[in-house]
């Protein structure tokens, strides 16, 4: 069984281009598996995986659970809203109690940046970061870049614009790292108030005009406004944001080329993306969802190779 260079998947920043290519190669095989009539393989039959989610999630949690079950792993689901965390139990105590039940791998989402890294220093099980605050979301970036590669044949040399709420987005940061490691040019676009001060230091282009960003790029990855993370108002209203930064069919028709539209979900239709774009032939949003299962299967399988 092939292995990644790391024991854990904590962030794209920590892994190599070779790791990413190995994940993609493995995901390609697993995508064939999930399109068969019998969608299960016994690859992780003796592995127990705990999905430990301290934040709300629908897509990511379902995608990981489905990936685990397709690999025949035993799955435990943990939600902080119905756990002893509500009674004051610490993160480390919670996870150690789960590990006492002989769990081999932990998939964790947490609102605090660095929570999976903290855990990795204290426990022996493999850890997969399913999103830590506004820091990283590595499997989303992997499935996004895999979807781009599947659509365009290669990521090398492509121009990718990430448009929207960059400041609060863990998806944006992980995507920047993944795309750059695979040789793409990256631009971020959004209102000045939603762009981190340090963003240019990551080697990306910065654009405030969404039309210019769309004209520049081959692929546009549109991000939602993360109102749940915003403590202050960063723009006057959703209506005004939509007016200046919402992507619609008319804007795409004005371009002198065809571009690919992506969105990590959930979509706020009529805000950052209109339905006539989300459901158009330009969009690969549903392909991203399907690829998410295959990519997460690949990550879990390769991390288990170190056991």
């Amino acid at each position: 069984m092939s292995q990644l260079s790391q024991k854990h998947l904590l962030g794209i920043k920590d892994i190599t281009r070779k790791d990413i290519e190995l994940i993609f190669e493995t995901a390609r095989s697993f995508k064939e598996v999930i399109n068969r009539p019998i969608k299960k393989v016994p690859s992780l039959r003796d592995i127990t995986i705990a999905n430990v989610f301290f934040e709300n999630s629908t897509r990511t949690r379902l995608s990981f659970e489905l990936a685990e079950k397709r690999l025949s792993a035993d799955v435990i689901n943990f939600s902080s809203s119905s756990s002893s965390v509500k009674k004051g139990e610490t993160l480390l105590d919670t996870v150690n109690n789960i590990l006492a039940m002989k769990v081999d791998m932990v998939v964790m989402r947490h609102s605090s940046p660095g929570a999976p890294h903290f855990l990795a220093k204290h426990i022996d099980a493999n850890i997969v970061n399913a999103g830590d605050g506004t820091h990283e979301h590595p499997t989303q970036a992997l499935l996004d870049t895999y979807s781009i590669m599947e659509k365009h044949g290669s990521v090398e040399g492509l121009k990718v614009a990430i448009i929207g709420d960059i400041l609060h987005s863990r998806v944006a940061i992980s995507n920047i790292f993944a795309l750059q490691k695979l040789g793409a040019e990256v631009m971020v676009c959004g209102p000045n108030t939603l762009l981190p001060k340090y963003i240019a230091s990551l080697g990306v282009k910065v654009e405030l005009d969404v039309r210019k960003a769309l004209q520049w790029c081959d692929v546009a990855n549109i991000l939602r406004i993360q109102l749940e993370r915003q403590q202050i108002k960063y723009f006057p209203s959703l209506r005004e944001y939509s007016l200046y930064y919402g992507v619609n069919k008319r804007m795409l028709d004005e371009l002198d080329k065809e571009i690919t539209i992506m969105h990590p979900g959930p979509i706020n239709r009529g805000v950052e993306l209109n339905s006539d774009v989300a459901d158009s032939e330009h969009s690969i949003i549903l392909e991203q969802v399907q690829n998410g299962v295959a990519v997460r299967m690949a990550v879990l399988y390769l991390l288990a190779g170190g056991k």
Side-chain angles (χ1 to χ4, degrees):
M1 189 188 279
S2 299
Q3 284 178 236
L4 298 177
S5 64
Q6 304 284 322
K7 180 184 176 182
H8 313 287
L9 180 61
L10 302 176
I12 300 297
K13 194 174 184 179
D14 307 316
I15 62 174
T16 64
R17 177 172 177 148
K18 196 173 176 184
D19 286 329
I20 296 172
E21 288 169 348
L22 177 59
I23 290 167
F24 287 179
E25 188 184 323
T26 312
R28 205 172 291 118
S29 303
F30 282 134
K31 190 164 182 187
E32 289 173 24
V33 169
I34 61 177
N35 283 302
R36 292 179 196 161
I38 298 170
K39 298 174 173 63
K40 229 171 180 181
V41 287
S43 308
L44 299 188
R45 192 169 46 200
D46 301 322
I47 301 289
T48 303
I49 303 174
N51 296 317
V52 182
F53 279 64
F54 291 88
E55 265 192 332
N56 292 336
S57 171
T58 304
R59 270 156 223 70
T60 303
R61 186 169 183 163
L62 285 175
S63 185
F64 267 113
E65 191 173 344
L66 193 55
E68 291 150 7
K69 289 179 175 177
R70 292 280 186 256
L71 292 166
S72 304
D74 294 319
V75 181
I76 301 168
N77 285 314
F78 167 93
S79 170
S80 62
S81 60
S82 56
S83 75
S84 294
V85 171
K86 291 285 183 188
K87 302 172 186 174
E89 187 172 67
T90 67
L91 167 63
L92 199 53
D93 282 341
T94 298
V95 176
N96 276 329
N97 275 285
I98 293 168
L99 293 179
M101 301 172 202
K102 303 302 175 193
V103 167
D104 302 290
M105 202 177 294
V106 176
V107 175
M108 188 173 87
R109 169 168 286 189
H110 202 282
S111 58
S112 299
H117 302 71
F118 166 77
L119 217 54
K121 293 175 183 173
H122 291 88
I123 66 172
D124 290 331
N126 301 100
I127 296 171
V128 180
N129 180 3
D132 59 329
T134 55
H135 181 227
E136 277 220 48
H137 192 349
T139 57
Q140 182 67 48
L142 289 168
L143 74 90
D144 287 346
T145 45
Y146 179 82
S147 300
I148 292 170
M149 187 192 70
E150 195 177 57
K151 171 79 176 175
H152 290 269
S154 172
V155 179
E156 188 90 41
L158 283 180
K159 295 178 177 178
V160 181
I162 303 172
I163 300 168
D165 185 356
I166 311 296
L167 183 64
H168 300 97
S169 176
R170 53 192 169 210
V171 173
I173 299 302
S174 288
N175 262 280
I176 288 168
F177 291 144
L179 289 163
Q180 288 177 336
K181 285 185 183 199
L182 294 174
E185 280 186 76
V186 184
M187 173 185 283
V188 295
C189 175
N192 240 328
T193 52
L194 291 176
L195 297 175
K197 296 281 188 285
Y198 63 82
I199 198 72
S201 68
L202 295 180
V204 300
K205 295 178 184 293
V206 179
E207 178 57 67
L208 301 179
D209 186 330
V210 70
R211 283 176 172 78
K212 287 181 182 175
L214 292 173
Q215 184 59 54
W216 175 85
C217 72
D218 303 303
V219 179
N221 197 349
I222 318 293
L223 307 179
R224 72 183 177 89
I225 298 297
Q226 302 202 25
L227 294 173
E228 73 277 10
R229 297 189 194 283
Q230 296 182 10
Q231 308 300 319
I232 60 172
K233 280 183 84 75
Y234 289 88
F235 47 85
S237 67
L238 286 176
R239 186 173 177 276
E240 186 158 322
Y241 178 87
S242 176
L243 193 63
Y244 286 96
Y245 287 94
V247 177
N248 57 51
K249 187 73 161 59
R250 182 169 45 80
M251 291 164 76
L252 297 189
D253 290 343
E254 288 170 1
L255 302 178
D256 56 16
K257 59 179 179 179
E258 286 204 357
I259 65 169
T260 302
I261 297 292
M262 304 175 70
H263 196 300
I267 304 171
N268 291 320
R269 288 176 184 257
V271 181
E272 74 271 8
L273 198 60
N274 279 12
S275 291
D276 56 7
V277 176
D279 303 327
S280 72
E281 69 280 1
H282 298 281
S283 165
I284 58 167
I285 294 169
L286 292 180
E287 284 85 346
Q288 286 173 264
V289 176
Q290 187 184 49
N291 288 336
V293 177
V295 165
R296 288 175 175 122
M297 285 174 77
V299 167
L300 296 166
Y301 173 78
L302 291 167
L303 286 176
K307 294 219 165 279

